[in-house]
Amino acid sequence: MAHAKPDKKPLETYRKKRNFRATREPRGSTARGSGKDLRLVIQKHDASHLHFDLRLELDGVMKSWAVPKGPSNDPAVKRLAMEVEDHPIEYNKFEGTIPKGEYGGGTVMLWDRGTYEPVEGDIDDLRTAFSKGSIKFIAHGERMKGEWALVRMHRGDGRQWLLIKHRDQFARTGGKLATSATRSVTTGRTMREIAAEGASDPDDDMRAERDERDDAEGIAPMLAHVGHDVPEGKEWAFEPKYDGIRIIAYAAGSAVKLLTRNDIDKAAQFPEIVRALSALSRKRKSPLVLDGEIVARSA
């Protein structure tokens, strides 16, 4: 059986649509997985129109569909699902606001997350199902559960699919899955609470963040070096060597980036650090750049 081959540049469209100096969305990377424990994420997205973004992991990216009315657990209800560009795996942790004027500008909530698997077959069968436009999968989300189908409609440009619930123990006649849950599965926040966190002069914050990035261009994390003598003099300072992630942090109000030496933004992975740096920048009333190590320490 011939199988569809993974796209060699799956994130090219995603990256072209975004200005990563203005948005906290991750630039992302691609890495082929083993096909086990494929991730499923649904993000509630209040952009030009409120909708839900369904994302299914395949070949190191999240295949994505915009579902205007959200998933329905009533098998009699067929939801329109518009196929959009592949998103990076790192997007699975993104919750916050995309600045107005940027692509997809608005509030994003992590509405559901978990894993999924094909009803039958393996990873190659999933690729074939995607290329043929008929995907049957079992969702193991916190809210989206049981068997579902994504079926491409044979009209237009081929981006229109239908999301359909199969009849099983999780099906509900007249079910209101999309409207019954209104809080984030990760932070417990409502859409209004997520939007309010970045509501204080977001345009000024983003402009300051861009200026700070431009001024600090070329800054690299300070890394450990092997030495034989301890330098003397008051101009030297020392820190313990921890085994963590070396980060250059840029903060300008609500705009925060945590960049690794490979220029990968870890902000979505460490929301508590983002909040702390945002608060510090606001307290100082100016942008800041910090070089440090993110480590996990036991109490």
Side-chain angles (χ1 to χ4, degrees):
M1 179 185 296
H3 299 302
K5 294 181 179 180
D7 189 348
K8 292 183 179 180
K9 296 183 178 180
L11 296 180
E12 185 174 10
T13 301
Y14 168 87
R15 289 169 177 163
K16 284 182 177 179
K17 289 184 175 182
R18 290 162 176 83
N19 175 7
F20 294 104
R21 288 189 171 184
T23 177
R24 289 191 226 173
E25 297 167 280
R27 180 176 176 81
S29 60
T30 56
R32 288 286 301 275
S34 64
K36 298 180 180 179
D37 296 327
L38 295 168
R39 284 160 282 196
L40 172 152
V41 163
I42 301 178
Q43 282 154 317
K44 190 174 181 179
H45 189 178
D46 189 5
S48 55
H49 297 88
L50 181 65
H51 63 279
F52 292 74
D53 292 312
L54 169 64
R55 311 194 195 281
L56 302 177
E57 180 185 359
L58 185 64
D59 292 320
V61 298
M62 301 302 290
K63 298 293 183 182
S64 299
W65 294 261
V67 185
K69 295 185 178 181
S72 171
N73 49 357
D74 186 341
V77 176
K78 298 177 176 63
R79 294 296 202 207
L80 175 66
M82 295 294 296
E83 184 181 350
V84 297
E85 71 276 10
D86 295 341
H87 280 54
I89 297 294
E90 292 90 339
Y91 212 94
N92 294 351
K93 296 182 180 180
F94 179 74
E95 178 176 284
T97 55
I98 301 171
K100 292 180 180 179
E102 296 300 319
Y103 178 77
T107 306
V108 179
M109 171 197 286
L110 280 165
W111 186 83
D112 197 13
R113 65 177 180 178
T115 61
Y116 82 101
E117 60 182 307
V119 172
E120 295 180 348
D122 56 17
I123 192 73
D124 279 341
D125 295 297
L126 266 179
R127 294 190 191 105
T128 301
F130 182 84
S131 64
K132 289 183 175 181
S134 180
I135 305 170
K136 297 177 181 179
F137 64 96
I138 303 171
H140 304 289
E142 295 183 35
R143 293 167 178 165
M144 189 175 183
K145 300 178 182 292
E147 292 190 16
W148 298 74
L150 275 164
V151 182
R152 182 186 286 122
M153 301 172 68
H154 297 289
R155 67 185 189 190
D157 57 6
R159 294 174 54 241
Q160 299 181 53
W161 297 59
L162 292 175
L163 176 63
I164 307 167
K165 180 75 184 79
H166 283 180
R167 296 190 182 278
D168 58 17
Q169 69 269 36
F170 300 107
R172 297 289 183 272
T173 300
K176 298 180 179 180
L177 181 61
T179 57
S180 62
T182 60
R183 292 186 176 272
S184 165
V185 292
T186 56
T187 65
R189 297 182 296 173
T190 64
M191 293 290 281
R192 180 174 295 182
E193 289 169 339
I194 294 169
E197 193 166 277
S200 176
D201 298 320
D203 293 336
D204 291 342
D205 288 345
M206 286 299 171
R207 192 178 301 110
E209 192 272 343
R210 288 195 297 271
D211 293 344
E212 188 72 11
R213 283 293 306 275
D214 291 342
D215 291 343
E217 187 174 359
I219 294 178
M222 184 170 57
L223 305 178
H225 297 278
V226 176
H228 301 286
D229 300 309
V230 178
E232 298 180 355
K234 294 182 178 180
E235 70 274 20
W236 292 95
F238 303 91
E239 65 178 74
K241 174 61 178 75
Y242 293 113
D243 187 11
I245 303 174
R246 197 72 188 188
I247 291 290
I248 294 289
Y250 302 87
S254 64
V256 178
K257 289 182 180 291
L258 305 176
L259 300 181
T260 68
R261 70 186 74 178
N262 297 319
D263 206 35
I264 296 174
D265 190 1
K266 294 288 187 177
Q269 189 174 343
F270 301 102
E272 65 280 8
I273 296 177
V274 168
R275 287 192 293 269
L277 291 178
S278 176
L280 179 59
S281 175
R282 291 183 187 280
K283 183 177 180 180
R284 294 177 70 247
K285 297 182 180 181
S286 68
L288 57 87
V289 180
L290 297 176
D291 177 10
E293 195 96 0
I294 297 178
V295 297
R297 298 181 64 185
S298 58

PDB file of all heavy atoms in Angstrom, residues 81-109:
ATOM      1  N   ALA A  81     -15.249  21.795   9.865  1.00  0.00           N
ATOM      2  CA  ALA A  81     -13.870  21.927  10.347  1.00  0.00           C
ATOM      3  C   ALA A  81     -13.005  22.355   9.170  1.00  0.00           C
ATOM      4  O   ALA A  81     -12.827  21.594   8.221  1.00  0.00           O
ATOM      5  CB  ALA A  81     -13.378  20.606  10.936  1.00  0.00           C
ATOM      6  N   MET A  82     -12.476  23.589   9.237  1.00  0.00           N
ATOM      7  CA  MET A  82     -11.670  24.128   8.149  1.00  0.00           C
ATOM      8  C   MET A  82     -10.192  23.810   8.389  1.00  0.00           C
ATOM      9  O   MET A  82      -9.620  24.230   9.395  1.00  0.00           O
ATOM     10  CB  MET A  82     -11.857  25.641   8.047  1.00  0.00           C
ATOM     11  CG  MET A  82     -13.263  26.068   7.657  1.00  0.00           C
ATOM     12  SD  MET A  82     -13.710  25.553   5.979  1.00  0.00           S
ATOM     13  CE  MET A  82     -12.538  26.495   5.006  1.00  0.00           C
ATOM     14  N   GLU A  83      -9.596  23.061   7.482  1.00  0.00           N
ATOM     15  CA  GLU A  83      -8.178  22.722   7.617  1.00  0.00           C
ATOM     16  C   GLU A  83      -7.326  23.980   7.483  1.00  0.00           C
ATOM     17  O   GLU A  83      -7.509  24.782   6.559  1.00  0.00           O
ATOM     18  CB  GLU A  83      -7.776  21.709   6.559  1.00  0.00           C
ATOM     19  CG  GLU A  83      -6.345  21.214   6.685  1.00  0.00           C
ATOM     20  CD  GLU A  83      -5.967  20.221   5.602  1.00  0.00           C
ATOM     21  OE1 GLU A  83      -6.873  19.775   4.854  1.00  0.00           O
ATOM     22  OE2 GLU A  83      -4.775  19.901   5.508  1.00  0.00           O
ATOM     23  N   VAL A  84      -6.392  24.174   8.408  1.00  0.00           N
ATOM     24  CA  VAL A  84      -5.479  25.311   8.374  1.00  0.00           C
ATOM     25  C   VAL A  84      -4.039  24.794   8.374  1.00  0.00           C
ATOM     26  O   VAL A  84      -3.808  23.580   8.338  1.00  0.00           O
ATOM     27  CB  VAL A  84      -5.725  26.262   9.572  1.00  0.00           C
ATOM     28  CG1 VAL A  84      -7.132  26.849   9.502  1.00  0.00           C
ATOM     29  CG2 VAL A  84      -5.504  25.553  10.898  1.00  0.00           C
ATOM     30  N   GLU A  85      -3.081  25.700   8.434  1.00  0.00           N
ATOM     31  CA  GLU A  85      -1.678  25.309   8.355  1.00  0.00           C
ATOM     32  C   GLU A  85      -1.247  24.457   9.554  1.00  0.00           C
ATOM     33  O   GLU A  85      -1.809  24.585  10.640  1.00  0.00           O
ATOM     34  CB  GLU A  85      -0.766  26.545   8.261  1.00  0.00           C
ATOM     35  CG  GLU A  85      -0.649  27.382   9.528  1.00  0.00           C
ATOM     36  CD  GLU A  85      -1.745  28.394   9.711  1.00  0.00           C
ATOM     37  OE1 GLU A  85      -2.741  28.352   8.962  1.00  0.00           O
ATOM     38  OE2 GLU A  85      -1.629  29.230  10.629  1.00  0.00           O
ATOM     39  N   ASP A  86      -0.258  23.593   9.336  1.00  0.00           N
ATOM     40  CA  ASP A  86       0.316  22.813  10.426  1.00  0.00           C
ATOM     41  C   ASP A  86       0.886  23.747  11.486  1.00  0.00           C
ATOM     42  O   ASP A  86       1.466  24.786  11.173  1.00  0.00           O
ATOM     43  CB  ASP A  86       1.443  21.909   9.917  1.00  0.00           C
ATOM     44  CG  ASP A  86       0.947  20.837   8.952  1.00  0.00           C
ATOM     45  OD1 ASP A  86      -0.262  20.556   8.947  1.00  0.00           O
ATOM     46  OD2 ASP A  86       1.790  20.297   8.220  1.00  0.00           O
ATOM     47  N   HIS A  87       0.718  23.366  12.761  1.00  0.00           N
ATOM     48  CA  HIS A  87       1.273  24.131  13.886  1.00  0.00           C
ATOM     49  C   HIS A  87       2.360  23.306  14.568  1.00  0.00           C
ATOM     50  O   HIS A  87       2.349  22.070  14.521  1.00  0.00           O
ATOM     51  CB  HIS A  87       0.171  24.466  14.893  1.00  0.00           C
ATOM     52  CG  HIS A  87      -0.677  25.638  14.483  1.00  0.00           C
ATOM     53  ND1 HIS A  87      -1.310  25.700  13.258  1.00  0.00           N
ATOM     54  CD2 HIS A  87      -0.992  26.792  15.133  1.00  0.00           C
ATOM     55  CE1 HIS A  87      -1.980  26.846  13.173  1.00  0.00           C
ATOM     56  NE2 HIS A  87      -1.799  27.519  14.298  1.00  0.00           N
ATOM     57  N   PRO A  88       3.310  23.965  15.238  1.00  0.00           N
ATOM     58  CA  PRO A  88       4.368  23.214  15.931  1.00  0.00           C
ATOM     59  C   PRO A  88       3.858  22.517  17.187  1.00  0.00           C
ATOM     60  O   PRO A  88       2.849  22.931  17.773  1.00  0.00           O
ATOM     61  CB  PRO A  88       5.389  24.299  16.291  1.00  0.00           C
ATOM     62  CG  PRO A  88       4.598  25.558  16.368  1.00  0.00           C
ATOM     63  CD  PRO A  88       3.512  25.432  15.334  1.00  0.00           C
ATOM     64  N   ILE A  89       4.559  21.470  17.600  1.00  0.00           N
ATOM     65  CA  ILE A  89       4.217  20.757  18.832  1.00  0.00           C
ATOM     66  C   ILE A  89       4.204  21.711  20.025  1.00  0.00           C
ATOM     67  O   ILE A  89       3.367  21.606  20.916  1.00  0.00           O
ATOM     68  CB  ILE A  89       5.226  19.617  19.088  1.00  0.00           C
ATOM     69  CG1 ILE A  89       5.166  18.578  17.954  1.00  0.00           C
ATOM     70  CG2 ILE A  89       4.961  18.951  20.434  1.00  0.00           C
ATOM     71  CD1 ILE A  89       3.877  17.808  17.862  1.00  0.00           C
ATOM     72  N   GLU A  90       5.120  22.680  20.019  1.00  0.00           N
ATOM     73  CA  GLU A  90       5.204  23.637  21.129  1.00  0.00           C
ATOM     74  C   GLU A  90       3.927  24.450  21.303  1.00  0.00           C
ATOM     75  O   GLU A  90       3.673  24.996  22.373  1.00  0.00           O
ATOM     76  CB  GLU A  90       6.393  24.587  20.909  1.00  0.00           C
ATOM     77  CG  GLU A  90       7.753  23.913  21.019  1.00  0.00           C
ATOM     78  CD  GLU A  90       8.262  23.364  19.700  1.00  0.00           C
ATOM     79  OE1 GLU A  90       7.424  23.147  18.783  1.00  0.00           O
ATOM     80  OE2 GLU A  90       9.483  23.161  19.573  1.00  0.00           O
ATOM     81  N   TYR A  91       3.117  24.532  20.249  1.00  0.00           N
ATOM     82  CA  TYR A  91       1.876  25.294  20.333  1.00  0.00           C
ATOM     83  C   TYR A  91       0.879  24.651  21.299  1.00  0.00           C
ATOM     84  O   TYR A  91      -0.066  25.296  21.759  1.00  0.00           O
ATOM     85  CB  TYR A  91       1.239  25.422  18.943  1.00  0.00           C
ATOM     86  CG  TYR A  91       0.481  26.712  18.734  1.00  0.00           C
ATOM     87  CD1 TYR A  91       1.106  27.806  18.154  1.00  0.00           C
ATOM     88  CD2 TYR A  91      -0.847  26.851  19.114  1.00  0.00           C
ATOM     89  CE1 TYR A  91       0.436  29.010  17.953  1.00  0.00           C
ATOM     90  CE2 TYR A  91      -1.528  28.047  18.930  1.00  0.00           C
ATOM     91  CZ  TYR A  91      -0.883  29.114  18.350  1.00  0.00           C
ATOM     92  OH  TYR A  91      -1.563  30.299  18.174  1.00  0.00           O
ATOM     93  N   ASN A  92       1.103  23.377  21.626  1.00  0.00           N
ATOM     94  CA  ASN A  92       0.210  22.660  22.541  1.00  0.00           C
ATOM     95  C   ASN A  92       0.154  23.292  23.927  1.00  0.00           C
ATOM     96  O   ASN A  92      -0.762  23.021  24.702  1.00  0.00           O
ATOM     97  CB  ASN A  92       0.659  21.203  22.689  1.00  0.00           C
ATOM     98  CG  ASN A  92       0.523  20.428  21.398  1.00  0.00           C
ATOM     99  OD1 ASN A  92      -0.052  20.903  20.437  1.00  0.00           O
ATOM    100  ND2 ASN A  92       1.055  19.226  21.369  1.00  0.00           N
ATOM    101  N   LYS A  93       1.145  24.108  24.259  1.00  0.00           N
ATOM    102  CA  LYS A  93       1.191  24.738  25.582  1.00  0.00           C
ATOM    103  C   LYS A  93       0.859  26.224  25.534  1.00  0.00           C
ATOM    104  O   LYS A  93       0.913  26.909  26.549  1.00  0.00           O
ATOM    105  CB  LYS A  93       2.571  24.532  26.213  1.00  0.00           C
ATOM    106  CG  LYS A  93       2.885  23.071  26.485  1.00  0.00           C
ATOM    107  CD  LYS A  93       4.237  22.914  27.155  1.00  0.00           C
ATOM    108  CE  LYS A  93       4.543  21.454  27.436  1.00  0.00           C
ATOM    109  NZ  LYS A  93       5.852  21.275  28.095  1.00  0.00           N
ATOM    110  N   PHE A  94       0.506  26.712  24.341  1.00  0.00           N
ATOM    111  CA  PHE A  94       0.262  28.155  24.213  1.00  0.00           C
ATOM    112  C   PHE A  94      -1.129  28.523  24.711  1.00  0.00           C
ATOM    113  O   PHE A  94      -2.140  28.008  24.252  1.00  0.00           O
ATOM    114  CB  PHE A  94       0.417  28.607  22.762  1.00  0.00           C
ATOM    115  CG  PHE A  94       0.156  30.086  22.580  1.00  0.00           C
ATOM    116  CD1 PHE A  94       1.082  31.016  23.009  1.00  0.00           C
ATOM    117  CD2 PHE A  94      -1.026  30.532  22.009  1.00  0.00           C
ATOM    118  CE1 PHE A  94       0.844  32.383  22.856  1.00  0.00           C
ATOM    119  CE2 PHE A  94      -1.270  31.887  21.855  1.00  0.00           C
ATOM    120  CZ  PHE A  94      -0.333  32.812  22.277  1.00  0.00           C
ATOM    121  N   GLU A  95      -1.170  29.441  25.663  1.00  0.00           N
ATOM    122  CA  GLU A  95      -2.404  30.041  26.143  1.00  0.00           C
ATOM    123  C   GLU A  95      -2.097  31.494  26.478  1.00  0.00           C
ATOM    124  O   GLU A  95      -1.145  31.785  27.199  1.00  0.00           O
ATOM    125  CB  GLU A  95      -2.928  29.327  27.385  1.00  0.00           C
ATOM    126  CG  GLU A  95      -4.205  29.944  27.958  1.00  0.00           C
ATOM    127  CD  GLU A  95      -4.770  29.158  29.128  1.00  0.00           C
ATOM    128  OE1 GLU A  95      -5.375  28.091  28.880  1.00  0.00           O
ATOM    129  OE2 GLU A  95      -4.590  29.589  30.286  1.00  0.00           O
ATOM    130  N   GLY A  96      -2.889  32.403  25.935  1.00  0.00           N
ATOM    131  CA  GLY A  96      -2.623  33.812  26.172  1.00  0.00           C
ATOM    132  C   GLY A  96      -3.269  34.657  25.105  1.00  0.00           C
ATOM    133  O   GLY A  96      -4.309  34.294  24.547  1.00  0.00           O
ATOM    134  N   THR A  97      -2.651  35.782  24.795  1.00  0.00           N
ATOM    135  CA  THR A  97      -3.208  36.692  23.805  1.00  0.00           C
ATOM    136  C   THR A  97      -2.239  36.890  22.648  1.00  0.00           C
ATOM    137  O   THR A  97      -1.027  36.969  22.830  1.00  0.00           O
ATOM    138  CB  THR A  97      -3.536  38.065  24.425  1.00  0.00           C
ATOM    139  OG1 THR A  97      -2.365  38.586  25.063  1.00  0.00           O
ATOM    140  CG2 THR A  97      -4.647  37.937  25.449  1.00  0.00           C
ATOM    141  N   ILE A  98      -2.793  36.946  21.439  1.00  0.00           N
ATOM    142  CA  ILE A  98      -2.054  37.313  20.236  1.00  0.00           C
ATOM    143  C   ILE A  98      -2.390  38.771  19.962  1.00  0.00           C
ATOM    144  O   ILE A  98      -3.568  39.148  19.942  1.00  0.00           O
ATOM    145  CB  ILE A  98      -2.466  36.422  19.045  1.00  0.00           C
ATOM    146  CG1 ILE A  98      -2.197  34.944  19.367  1.00  0.00           C
ATOM    147  CG2 ILE A  98      -1.710  36.831  17.789  1.00  0.00           C
ATOM    148  CD1 ILE A  98      -2.768  33.985  18.340  1.00  0.00           C
ATOM    149  N   PRO A  99      -1.390  39.639  19.796  1.00  0.00           N
ATOM    150  CA  PRO A  99      -1.658  41.071  19.655  1.00  0.00           C
ATOM    151  C   PRO A  99      -2.609  41.395  18.503  1.00  0.00           C
ATOM    152  O   PRO A  99      -2.598  40.723  17.460  1.00  0.00           O
ATOM    153  CB  PRO A  99      -0.276  41.672  19.393  1.00  0.00           C
ATOM    154  CG  PRO A  99       0.679  40.672  19.938  1.00  0.00           C
ATOM    155  CD  PRO A  99       0.046  39.331  19.739  1.00  0.00           C
ATOM    156  N   LYS A 100      -3.424  42.423  18.678  1.00  0.00           N
ATOM    157  CA  LYS A 100      -4.297  42.894  17.618  1.00  0.00           C
ATOM    158  C   LYS A 100      -3.458  43.345  16.433  1.00  0.00           C
ATOM    159  O   LYS A 100      -2.411  43.956  16.587  1.00  0.00           O
ATOM    160  CB  LYS A 100      -5.157  44.057  18.115  1.00  0.00           C
ATOM    161  CG  LYS A 100      -6.186  43.657  19.162  1.00  0.00           C
ATOM    162  CD  LYS A 100      -7.003  44.855  19.602  1.00  0.00           C
ATOM    163  CE  LYS A 100      -8.038  44.462  20.647  1.00  0.00           C
ATOM    164  NZ  LYS A 100      -8.844  45.629  21.106  1.00  0.00           N
ATOM    165  N   GLY A 101      -3.938  43.020  15.250  1.00  0.00           N
ATOM    166  CA  GLY A 101      -3.198  43.366  14.044  1.00  0.00           C
ATOM    167  C   GLY A 101      -2.297  42.256  13.557  1.00  0.00           C
ATOM    168  O   GLY A 101      -1.894  42.237  12.393  1.00  0.00           O
ATOM    169  N   GLU A 102      -1.978  41.312  14.441  1.00  0.00           N
ATOM    170  CA  GLU A 102      -1.189  40.141  14.042  1.00  0.00           C
ATOM    171  C   GLU A 102      -2.132  39.047  13.557  1.00  0.00           C
ATOM    172  O   GLU A 102      -3.324  39.047  13.859  1.00  0.00           O
ATOM    173  CB  GLU A 102      -0.346  39.634  15.210  1.00  0.00           C
ATOM    174  CG  GLU A 102       0.696  40.612  15.689  1.00  0.00           C
ATOM    175  CD  GLU A 102       1.699  40.987  14.616  1.00  0.00           C
ATOM    176  OE1 GLU A 102       2.135  40.094  13.860  1.00  0.00           O
ATOM    177  OE2 GLU A 102       2.037  42.177  14.521  1.00  0.00           O
ATOM    178  N   TYR A 103      -1.606  38.095  12.816  1.00  0.00           N
ATOM    179  CA  TYR A 103      -2.404  36.993  12.309  1.00  0.00           C
ATOM    180  C   TYR A 103      -3.042  36.228  13.478  1.00  0.00           C
ATOM    181  O   TYR A 103      -2.349  35.824  14.402  1.00  0.00           O
ATOM    182  CB  TYR A 103      -1.525  36.042  11.484  1.00  0.00           C
ATOM    183  CG  TYR A 103      -2.254  34.832  10.953  1.00  0.00           C
ATOM    184  CD1 TYR A 103      -3.102  34.943   9.853  1.00  0.00           C
ATOM    185  CD2 TYR A 103      -2.102  33.601  11.549  1.00  0.00           C
ATOM    186  CE1 TYR A 103      -3.772  33.848   9.363  1.00  0.00           C
ATOM    187  CE2 TYR A 103      -2.772  32.480  11.062  1.00  0.00           C
ATOM    188  CZ  TYR A 103      -3.606  32.613   9.965  1.00  0.00           C
ATOM    189  OH  TYR A 103      -4.286  31.519   9.484  1.00  0.00           O
ATOM    190  N   GLY A 104      -4.367  36.074  13.448  1.00  0.00           N
ATOM    191  CA  GLY A 104      -5.061  35.365  14.526  1.00  0.00           C
ATOM    192  C   GLY A 104      -5.166  36.156  15.809  1.00  0.00           C
ATOM    193  O   GLY A 104      -5.381  35.569  16.880  1.00  0.00           O
ATOM    194  N   GLY A 105      -5.011  37.481  15.732  1.00  0.00           N
ATOM    195  CA  GLY A 105      -5.030  38.310  16.935  1.00  0.00           C
ATOM    196  C   GLY A 105      -6.253  38.072  17.801  1.00  0.00           C
ATOM    197  O   GLY A 105      -7.379  38.064  17.304  1.00  0.00           O
ATOM    198  N   GLY A 106      -6.050  37.859  19.096  1.00  0.00           N
ATOM    199  CA  GLY A 106      -7.144  37.593  20.022  1.00  0.00           C
ATOM    200  C   GLY A 106      -6.700  36.720  21.174  1.00  0.00           C
ATOM    201  O   GLY A 106      -5.508  36.526  21.401  1.00  0.00           O
ATOM    202  N   THR A 107      -7.674  36.176  21.892  1.00  0.00           N
ATOM    203  CA  THR A 107      -7.409  35.386  23.095  1.00  0.00           C
ATOM    204  C   THR A 107      -7.432  33.897  22.782  1.00  0.00           C
ATOM    205  O   THR A 107      -8.301  33.428  22.044  1.00  0.00           O
ATOM    206  CB  THR A 107      -8.472  35.696  24.171  1.00  0.00           C
ATOM    207  OG1 THR A 107      -8.501  37.111  24.386  1.00  0.00           O
ATOM    208  CG2 THR A 107      -8.158  34.989  25.478  1.00  0.00           C
ATOM    209  N   VAL A 108      -6.484  33.162  23.349  1.00  0.00           N
ATOM    210  CA  VAL A 108      -6.376  31.718  23.123  1.00  0.00           C
ATOM    211  C   VAL A 108      -6.414  30.987  24.464  1.00  0.00           C
ATOM    212  O   VAL A 108      -5.631  31.290  25.365  1.00  0.00           O
ATOM    213  CB  VAL A 108      -5.082  31.352  22.369  1.00  0.00           C
ATOM    214  CG1 VAL A 108      -4.979  29.842  22.172  1.00  0.00           C
ATOM    215  CG2 VAL A 108      -5.020  32.075  21.031  1.00  0.00           C
ATOM    216  N   MET A 109      -7.322  30.026  24.599  1.00  0.00           N
ATOM    217  CA  MET A 109      -7.433  29.196  25.805  1.00  0.00           C
ATOM    218  C   MET A 109      -7.117  27.744  25.461  1.00  0.00           C
ATOM    219  O   MET A 109      -7.527  27.236  24.416  1.00  0.00           O
ATOM    220  CB  MET A 109      -8.854  29.257  26.383  1.00  0.00           C
ATOM    221  CG  MET A 109      -9.119  28.258  27.511  1.00  0.00           C
ATOM    222  SD  MET A 109     -10.882  28.003  27.840  1.00  0.00           S
ATOM    223  CE  MET A 109     -11.285  29.533  28.676  1.00  0.00           C
TER     224      MET A 109
END
